[in-house]
Amino acid sequence: MGQLPTLAIVGATGAVGTVMCDLLSSRKNVWGEIRLIASERSVGQQRLCRGEQLTVRALTPEVFDGVDVAMFDVPDEVSAEWAPIAVSRGAVTVDNSGAFRMDRDVPLVVPEINPEQVRNRPKGIIANANCTTLGMIVAVAPLHREYGLRELVLASYQAVSGAGQLGVDTLHDQLTKIAGDRGLGSRSGNVRQAVGDDLGPFPAPMALNVVPWAGSLADGGWSSEELKMRNESRKILGLPDLKVSATCVRVPVVTGHSVAVHAVFGAEVDAEGAREALRNAPGVILVDDPERGEFPMPIDAVGTDPSWVGRIRRSMDDPRALDLFITGDNLRKGAALNTAQIAELLAAEYVAGAAR
């Protein structure tokens, strides 16, 4: 254990932090000491991680002393304040918030796509992409390598867990309220009346509904989630001029973000060739047999690591375009897993340096 790096998990008791602990218990052990860090209300709690009962510590500057890698899953403003503090105490920080993603001195890393960027960290910080972007980009990247991506038109179907535990609780509470009333949804206003003011983090009822909005309002009527998909896709793929148009929709699914993708390439595409490229791509599972009713769906992808891809068709009107559907667990690859994979690249770097 003495030769292995020390890891800190900041936000260890949250939804994503809990998944991080689960992943550390199931993946190859590359860590020495692990420190769980959270807000004051969680300090002193015991959490199981890697088979050990660990006591949650308070977020202080001193808690990072001796830490080699810190994984952050906290709100943007907390990361903005504390990630540089962790770096100043000697820890390379992998941040899952949006605080640093578009900082030109902070790499935005997806290990299946651009692992070499881990070494390009002048601020000592590496950013993790938005959960919707992550699940989608893992499957789009191999197609880009094959055909040369030019444009993306995206429609997301985002699970309520993307809004945190409050989002999940809100959906379940609403479903309880409406259960058994088969007349709901057949007349304007009756779902709103049954749900009442219990909207949680959403602008409208989620039960029996889809809400064409996720994130906060940005310029031109776009949402922050839609801009993330555009800007982060460009940065991850190294395509600063990539045309991207996204519409983000919240759906009554607990966990598992999905994206309908219309991708335009620089070369003529072939659906079977695309399937072959995806079949061999890391982090991707191909589920594409409409005759048997086999499609990528969140109820199957939840709790798994890959991006599930299917419904692959060449566009009827453009031989350079593909249409496909992607889904994945937004708490795993969309957040905790990608963060853990980046941290594991850093652990390997640490061990290699120690061996020299």
Side-chain angles (χ1 to χ4, degrees):
M1 283 284 210
Q3 297 302 308
L4 296 177
T6 296
L7 174 71
I9 304 175
V10 184
T13 59
V16 173
T18 300
V19 177
M20 285 178 178
C21 288
D22 291 342
L23 286 168
L24 290 172
S25 300
S26 60
R27 294 177 68 80
K28 181 182 177 182
N29 182 38
V30 298
W31 303 107
E33 181 189 354
I34 295 177
R35 301 180 191 177
L36 305 186
I37 303 166
S39 61
E40 284 294 334
R41 65 178 178 272
S42 299
V43 171
Q45 292 181 10
Q46 294 279 309
R47 293 295 170 109
L48 186 66
C49 185
R50 202 181 52 178
E52 306 172 64
Q53 286 290 345
L54 301 179
T55 302
V56 177
R57 307 187 191 193
L59 180 57
T60 65
E62 294 75 23
V63 80
F64 296 107
D65 289 345
V67 170
D68 299 294
V69 179
M71 301 195 303
F72 273 64
D73 185 73
V74 291
D76 291 8
E77 62 274 14
V78 179
S79 280
E81 177 183 356
W82 283 93
I85 293 173
V87 172
S88 73
R89 310 296 280 216
V92 178
T93 296
V94 186
D95 182 45
N96 192 41
S97 82
F100 301 100
R101 288 173 186 154
M102 300 317 297
D103 187 322
R104 64 179 58 196
D105 292 324
V106 175
L108 187 60
V109 174
V110 182
E112 293 89 346
I113 301 172
N114 58 349
E116 72 286 349
Q117 289 298 315
V118 164
R119 296 186 294 276
N120 176 31
R121 48 175 195 269
K123 291 188 174 180
I125 299 170
I126 300 167
N128 200 41
N130 172 265
C131 51
T132 318
T133 304
L134 265 170
M136 177 270 299
I137 207 72
V138 169
V140 167
L143 299 176
H144 166 54
R145 286 192 289 267
E146 190 74 18
Y147 300 112
L149 186 64
R150 295 291 181 270
E151 182 176 355
L152 288 171
V153 180
L154 310 169
S156 74
Y157 303 79
Q158 295 179 218
V160 294
S161 58
Q165 189 59 44
L166 178 59
V168 176
D169 292 341
T170 298
L171 176 59
H172 281 302
D173 290 344
Q174 290 180 0
L175 292 173
T176 299
K177 283 184 177 182
I178 68 171
D181 188 342
R182 298 194 176 193
L184 291 177
S186 61
R187 180 167 50 84
S188 178
N190 65 0
V191 172
R192 289 185 182 271
Q193 185 175 12
V195 168
D197 297 328
D198 177 25
L199 300 181
F202 309 115
M206 286 306 312
L208 303 181
N209 196 26
V210 298
V211 179
W213 188 259
S216 56
L217 182 62
D219 292 343
W222 296 95
S223 80
S224 58
E225 290 282 306
E226 292 159 351
L227 296 185
K228 288 174 187 177
M229 295 192 77
R230 175 180 185 263
N231 297 334
E232 293 174 20
S233 296
R234 289 175 157 193
K235 186 172 181 179
I236 293 165
L237 296 174
L239 297 173
D241 298 320
L242 180 67
K243 295 179 181 180
V244 183
S245 179
T247 300
C248 289
V249 182
R250 193 74 72 179
V251 296
V253 169
V254 173
T255 299
H257 287 355
S258 304
V259 184
V261 178
H262 177 78
V264 182
F265 299 92
E268 189 168 325
V269 296
D270 171 75
E272 190 49 48
R275 290 188 190 95
E276 191 60 26
L278 291 166
R279 194 175 284 118
N280 298 316
V284 172
I285 183 169
L286 186 66
V287 185
D288 194 14
D289 192 344
E291 289 186 6
R292 298 188 180 194
E294 295 178 359
F295 315 107
M297 294 180 287
I299 58 168
D300 301 316
V302 63
T304 72
D305 292 341
S307 293
W308 295 44
V309 189
R311 293 300 324 280
I312 299 167
R313 298 144 283 156
R314 189 168 86 161
S315 172
M316 290 187 286
D317 302 312
D318 186 348
R320 301 172 301 120
L322 285 171
D323 290 276
L324 57 151
F325 193 81
I326 306 166
T327 193
D329 188 318
N330 52 293
L331 300 180
R332 291 182 73 88
K333 182 56 181 175
L337 175 62
N338 201 73
T339 306
Q341 288 174 306
I342 296 170
E344 288 167 1
L345 292 175
L346 293 170
E349 186 180 299
Y350 174 92
V351 171
R356 284 198 292 269

